[in-house]
Amino acid sequence: MNKSRMEAFSDGVLAIIITIMVLELRTPEGHEWREVVRLWPVLLSYVISFLYVGIYWNSHHHLMLTVHRVSGGILWANLHLLFWLSLFPFVTGWAGESHFAAVPMSCYGFVALMCAVAYTILVRAIIRADVSNHLLADATGRDLKGNLSIAAYLVAIAAPFFGYPGVIVSGLLLTAVALMWLIPDRRIERVLAREGGASSKH
């Protein structure tokens, strides 16, 4: 099965997710800077969510570079990831409009966690699909950043229920994970470079 349709569909869904988040931003009621400042929770939640969606788009692009064969299992795993990513507009709006209340923040952390879990499932599905996808298995190895992210998400889900300081901790953890993944993960690029070098020698 050709991977191009899955890539095109995924890109389209991610573009729609970002579009929905933008359309849900409300313009200030007045014409002063203070009207904009009042919207800071909504704007901040949008920026963080935009980073998350952008990071997954970038990671998904690199992931597809290692794929030579797509199976039905990969398609379902990919849809599973897109399902959780599609919930970002919902939790983004809820967290921002509630001024980062406990339940919306916990739900935001849960969606972020499930996106990470779904991405891991997709990686495993690609590796299992065919031996021709061995490059991804070579690249993943020990996933320290992934494990740290999941641990941070678990704390971010629980922390808001310990009062306002917990809400702050949750927000800081979610922001820290996004910033951590802004630093490109070079493992796949290194494996592809080695593969390209080996191929050119033959």
Side-chain angles (χ1 to χ4, degrees):
M1 189 179 298
N2 195 300
K3 66 178 180 180
S4 60
R5 286 192 65 192
M6 188 178 84
E7 287 182 280
F9 178 76
S10 301
D11 288 346
V13 171
L14 292 174
I16 291 171
I17 290 170
I18 292 177
T19 302
I20 292 172
M21 291 195 300
V22 171
L23 292 176
E24 288 186 348
L25 291 177
R26 297 178 182 178
T27 56
E29 295 180 0
H31 306 284
E32 303 294 333
W33 281 111
R34 63 174 178 270
E35 303 295 337
V36 178
V37 172
R38 289 174 183 171
L39 296 175
W40 74 266
V42 176
L43 295 174
L44 179 59
S45 62
Y46 167 76
V47 170
I48 299 301
S49 295
F50 184 91
L51 287 178
Y52 270 108
V53 176
I55 288 165
Y56 275 103
W57 174 79
N58 190 18
S59 298
H60 191 274
H61 167 71
H62 281 81
L63 200 62
M64 290 299 103
L65 292 176
T66 69
V67 176
H68 295 284
R69 180 180 179 274
V70 175
S71 66
I74 292 176
L75 292 177
W76 282 110
N78 192 67
L79 281 173
H80 179 229
L81 172 61
L82 294 177
F83 168 77
W84 289 108
L85 287 171
S86 71
L87 291 178
F88 263 117
F90 170 69
V91 292
T92 299
W94 195 17
E97 292 175 9
S98 69
H99 284 231
F100 307 116
V103 174
M105 285 298 291
S106 183
C107 289
Y108 193 108
F110 179 74
V111 169
L113 171 66
M114 293 310 299
C115 286
V117 171
Y119 186 83
T120 301
I121 292 173
L122 175 59
V123 169
R124 300 307 171 201
I126 292 172
I127 293 173
R128 289 196 305 266
D130 195 80
V131 293
S132 62
N133 297 336
H134 69 91
L135 288 179
L136 184 57
D138 297 340
T140 49
R142 291 182 59 192
D143 191 8
L144 178 60
K145 285 173 68 174
N147 293 332
L148 286 175
S149 298
I150 290 176
Y153 293 144
L154 290 172
V155 176
I157 292 170
F161 297 106
F162 293 90
Y164 187 70
V167 172
I168 295 176
V169 169
S170 179
L172 289 175
L173 285 172
L174 291 169
T175 304
V177 172
L179 293 177
M180 179 175 67
W181 283 101
L182 278 179
I183 302 172
D185 190 345
R186 302 294 187 187
R187 291 177 299 173
I188 290 178
E189 293 180 3
R190 286 195 293 265
V191 169
L192 288 172
R194 286 201 302 268
E195 182 76 7
S199 299
S200 63
K201 292 179 182 179
H202 289 297

